[in-house]
Amino acid sequence: MDTEFKTLAPLLRTLWAETEKGGGTMLFCQSNNQEVLAENILGHLQNLGRDHSPTVNHYSLTSYKPKPYAPFLDECKHFFESYNAGEILTFLNQHQVYYYHSGVLAEYLSSGTAIRREGLLPGELDYESFRMQGSIRNILQGVYASHPVIFLIENAHNLPRSTLRLLKMILKSGGDLPFLCILSAPEVV
């Protein structure tokens, strides 16, 4: 199985070089043994960075019902642990988070729960979803603007639609988010 991963090292180096330049990149891997794949990927990622080792966030989504925008919104929540609610709101405003989402996102990022208080019109759900994705993307950009990040997500077939839409937006939005996302899922026969 080791020979299987030898081609992975140069690919990861190339993708990481693009990420360090500020580009968003995604890699999808299929394996019936995702744990071994993740161990090999993590081993290759240790000394990739030119100036420093990359920040690697590793997740294994074993549940079929992870939270919306998992794991990205929770990763942002960890970033804000030392911030108070006012500082979080200031950060969100500085990073152009949609006005109607800034309060609910600030509440979630400071406490882990949030309740939206204004109503929604059914005809606006797609628009609201698009704006929420943009808001979370802007938060991620603010959090990771100064240091590129790698997300390694096992069992990507369990990702919620909200996360898949967010990833699509991140990749389509250009190269201003230094972000490498490595997704793995079981092989499909």
Side-chain angles (χ1 to χ4, degrees):
M1 196 172 231
D2 229 4
T3 57
E4 190 178 331
F5 298 109
K6 286 184 181 180
T7 58
L8 194 55
L11 177 61
L12 289 172
R13 277 194 297 278
T14 301
L15 293 174
W16 180 246
E18 291 300 314
T19 302
E20 283 188 308
K21 293 177 187 173
T25 309
M26 192 177 335
L27 173 65
F28 183 77
C29 305
Q30 288 185 301
S31 174
N32 285 331
N33 193 339
Q34 291 185 69
E35 289 178 21
V36 171
L37 175 64
E39 287 173 18
N40 276 275
I41 290 172
L42 290 169
H44 290 303
L45 295 176
Q46 292 303 316
N47 298 311
L48 278 182
R50 283 184 233 138
D51 300 326
H52 58 358
S53 291
T55 300
V56 179
N57 299 302
H58 178 206
Y59 297 92
S60 182
L61 300 173
T62 56
S63 165
Y64 286 110
K65 293 195 175 203
K67 294 179 187 177
Y69 303 104
F72 304 108
L73 199 51
D74 283 336
E75 188 59 37
C76 290
K77 186 177 175 306
H78 294 301
F79 174 82
F80 289 107
E81 285 177 345
S82 63
Y83 286 56
N84 66 42
E87 291 169 326
I88 293 172
L89 199 52
T90 299
F91 181 95
L92 298 181
N93 290 333
Q94 289 172 342
H95 290 89
Q96 301 165 348
V97 169
Y98 182 49
Y99 172 79
Y100 290 112
H101 295 153
S102 60
V104 73
L105 285 169
E107 188 176 339
Y108 179 80
L109 293 170
S110 65
S111 70
T113 59
I115 298 172
R116 185 171 174 148
R117 289 167 179 80
E118 64 275 344
L120 285 173
L121 299 173
E124 294 180 354
L125 291 177
D126 287 340
Y127 177 76
E128 288 287 325
S129 175
F130 177 78
R131 292 303 297 254
M132 180 62 83
Q133 293 160 29
S135 293
I136 294 171
R137 185 212 161 281
N138 290 349
I139 295 168
L140 287 167
Q141 182 177 9
V143 168
Y144 294 114
S146 63
H147 58 286
V149 65
I150 297 172
F151 283 92
L152 172 57
I153 302 172
E154 293 179 62
N155 299 302
H157 58 288
N158 290 332
L159 285 171
R161 283 189 207 159
S162 59
T163 300
L164 296 173
R165 285 189 218 114
L166 174 63
L167 286 171
K168 184 178 178 181
M169 175 180 271
I170 289 170
L171 291 174
K172 280 183 146 184
S173 66
D176 58 352
L177 181 59
F179 176 92
L180 171 56
C181 187
I182 303 170
L183 305 168
S184 73
E187 290 188 37
V188 180
V189 178

